Amino acid sequence: MAITTIKGFKDILPREIETWQRIEMEARKVFRVFGFKEIKPPLMEKTELFKRGIGEDTDIVSKEMYTLMDSKGRGQTLRPEATASVVRSYIQNKLYNDNPVQKLFTIGPMFRHERPQKGRFRQFHQINAELFGDPGPSSDADLIIMAMHLFESVGMSELTLNINSLGCQDCRPQFREGLKSFLGQYTDELCSDCQRRAETNPLRVFDCKVKGCGEVVVNAPSVLDSLCNRCQDHFNTLMDYLTGSDISFTVNPMLVRGLDYYTRTAFEIQTDRLGAQNAVAGGGRYDGLVRQLYGPDHPSIGFAIGIERLVALLEEQNNFKTDSPDLFIAGLGDAASKKVFFWVHELRKNGLFVEMEYELKGLKAQMKRADKLGAKRVLIIGDDELASGKGIIRDMVTKEQGDIFLDSLVENLLSE
Ligand code: HAM
């Protein structure tokens, strides 16, 4: 029986890879001008990092982590997200000593044991950006604008930015209590998970996908009605910055995000073209996380973009380009084919994407191959051409054909 990939894991095939590379290249370009530096934490961390960082009562930690035990029985987990890892590294390496405001990004795979569906995988990839050491709100706006810039630069414009404020340690407890007593009136209508969450972590109920729970929370008190003055000012100033930067957004008081570390600003960038998995990116402020993970009291904010979802959107938009050879050289007969072999390598050394046939083949077969590869031009060289010192060069788009001197062929082709 054939051996295939694990459920929820997928190959990223060559036809998609150019879009992946383009996204990563644009991300690096945009991040550079915003002053973000790349960091590469390991893919596996001590399980306690995620338990303490993300929250024991989140779906990610309670149900979705890939954890294995080492020989001493210590839990090690394939990272389900990157923020906790980047924070760990920020603390462990005292990165705050280099710069009071640290801006870091990382790109790579994450692992969550979720039920696979369209846009949801067990191994998926994120582009993460994290900004440490500033309480906002201008850094909140800066980060959100950076995310929107990136989407724009890869050609994605039809996205909705949803923002919310989840309050802070001063005002959230009161909202939490109010929400708890509200949910207490609807215990029978909540799913069994949310009956428990209503007690332990009531904000999580906003996140539940079960229909009955959704019907209950639409009438729940709004977090925005219970913000303290400082959180309200923070949120208002953020909105001013976004409006002043021509970034349109929707205020969504039901947006709580699936991780427990958020404080104040939470945001999601959504699309209506991916079915249930509508978030292409999500993030927010996490002012307490660095301290929670035994670091200094540094406020922070970040976001992550799901690469698979962005690739799917670009694919739908037909934004896929595949790289095709600049030139195909068709050698006919032994002597010409040998010459062709050396010319091909000389041209490649000079940065041209050149293809050839490995086996000896006739002109018809080679033209067919060049066409299939999408070669822009074909250079035909047989014994007659070798003898006359002139090859035939054919433009595969205009179908125009002409001669090219074989003497100093490489210089001739490169100078065009
Ligand atoms: P998240 O909302 O869990 O946030 O994930 C961010 C993005 O990753 C989602 O919007 C989605 O595009 C993608 N994603 C998540 N799970 C999957 C999946 N199973 N399959 C495919 N794509 C997925 C975080 O991970 C936070 N660490 C973001 C953050 C950074 N907050 C502050 N800094």
Side-chain angles (χ1 to χ4, degrees), residues 186-399:
Y186 300 97
T187 311
D188 294 345
E189 284 148 64
L190 299 176
C191 71
S192 56
D193 273 346
C194 283
Q195 288 178 1
R196 179 180 44 79
R197 289 176 186 137
E199 280 303 312
T200 56
N201 196 348
L203 266 82
R204 290 269 68 80
V205 179
F206 281 108
D207 238 9
C208 184
K209 299 282 183 279
V210 175
K211 198 166 159 248
C213 302
E215 285 165 6
V216 171
V217 292
V218 282
N219 297 313
S222 162
V223 64
L224 293 176
D225 292 334
S226 64
L227 297 183
C228 62
N229 289 341
R230 289 178 56 224
C231 286
Q232 189 64 62
D233 282 351
H234 189 280
F235 195 49
N236 290 345
T237 315
L238 165 63
M239 290 193 283
D240 286 347
Y241 275 123
L242 293 178
T243 310
S245 310
D246 285 332
I247 303 277
S248 29
F249 58 86
T250 305
V251 174
N252 176 1
M254 307 255 284
L255 178 73
V256 291
R257 313 269 304 118
L259 306 102
D260 275 353
Y261 47 62
Y262 293 112
T263 49
R264 291 192 170 157
T265 309
F267 64 96
E268 234 167 55
I269 299 166
Q270 300 175 346
T271 167
D272 52 15
R273 291 200 270 126
L274 282 180
Q277 303 312 313
N278 63 353
V280 198
R285 180 158 282 289
Y286 49 93
D287 288 343
L289 183 59
V290 180
R291 197 186 42 216
Q292 168 91 0
L293 293 174
Y294 312 108
D297 192 6
H298 289 179
S300 316
I301 181 163
F303 69 79
I305 297 174
I307 304 186
E308 282 79 358
R309 292 186 192 173
L310 181 53
V311 168
L313 286 173
L314 292 172
E315 188 173 33
E316 227 187 42
Q317 254 184 225
N318 233 343
N319 236 331
F320 267 60
K321 271 195 292 167
T322 45
D323 200 7
S324 52
D326 300 310
L327 182 70
F328 185 99
I329 312 190
L332 305 172
D334 257 342
S337 295
K338 260 213 184 96
K339 278 264 188 208
V340 163
F341 183 90
F342 297 113
W343 278 322
V344 164
H345 288 92
E346 198 53 35
L347 286 163
R348 285 178 178 165
K349 238 196 245 168
N350 283 284
L352 235 60
F353 177 7
V354 191
E355 275 294 1
M356 63 181 168
E357 198 67 80
Y358 291 118
E359 262 181 85
L360 272 184
K361 285 204 173 145
L363 181 60
K364 205 168 152 200
Q366 295 200 57
M367 289 306 287
K368 215 167 146 187
R369 172 105 195 284
D371 197 41
K372 192 141 190 221
L373 288 170
K376 294 170 192 95
R377 297 196 298 172
V378 178
L379 172 62
I380 304 160
I381 303 172
D383 290 340
D384 291 348
E385 285 72 30
L386 275 188
S388 69
K390 275 195 263 172
I392 303 165
I393 190 136
R394 182 177 168 86
D395 188 308
M396 296 297 275
V397 182
T398 62
K399 310 289 178 210

Side-chain angles (χ1 to χ4, degrees), residues 161-186:
L161 167 64
N162 277 267
I163 61 170
N164 193 19
S165 174
L166 298 174
C168 65
Q169 56 187 18
D170 294 335
C171 55
R172 176 114 52 101
Q174 202 190 338
F175 171 68
R176 205 171 167 273
E177 284 316 306
L179 181 61
K180 214 163 151 179
S181 42
F182 168 84
L183 294 172
Q185 301 166 50
Y186 300 97

Side-chain angles (χ1 to χ4, degrees), residues 54 60 64 80-84 110-115 117 119-131 143 257-259 261-262 267-269 274 277-286 301-310:
I54 301 171
I60 296 180
E64 298 169 0
E81 58 116 44
T83 309
M110 312 292 149
F111 304 86
R112 294 184 194 171
H113 195 270
E114 295 187 81
R115 200 165 45 79
Q117 53 174 249
R120 190 158 80 189
F121 308 97
R122 291 181 171 170
Q123 178 185 303
F124 59 98
H125 296 72
Q126 285 183 343
I127 298 175
N128 275 261
E130 316 288 353
L131 187 155
L143 195 93
R257 313 269 304 118
L259 306 102
Y261 47 62
Y262 293 112
F267 64 96
E268 234 167 55
I269 299 166
L274 282 180
Q277 303 312 313
N278 63 353
V280 198
R285 180 158 282 289
Y286 49 93
I301 181 163
F303 69 79
I305 297 174
I307 304 186
E308 282 79 358
R309 292 186 192 173
L310 181 53

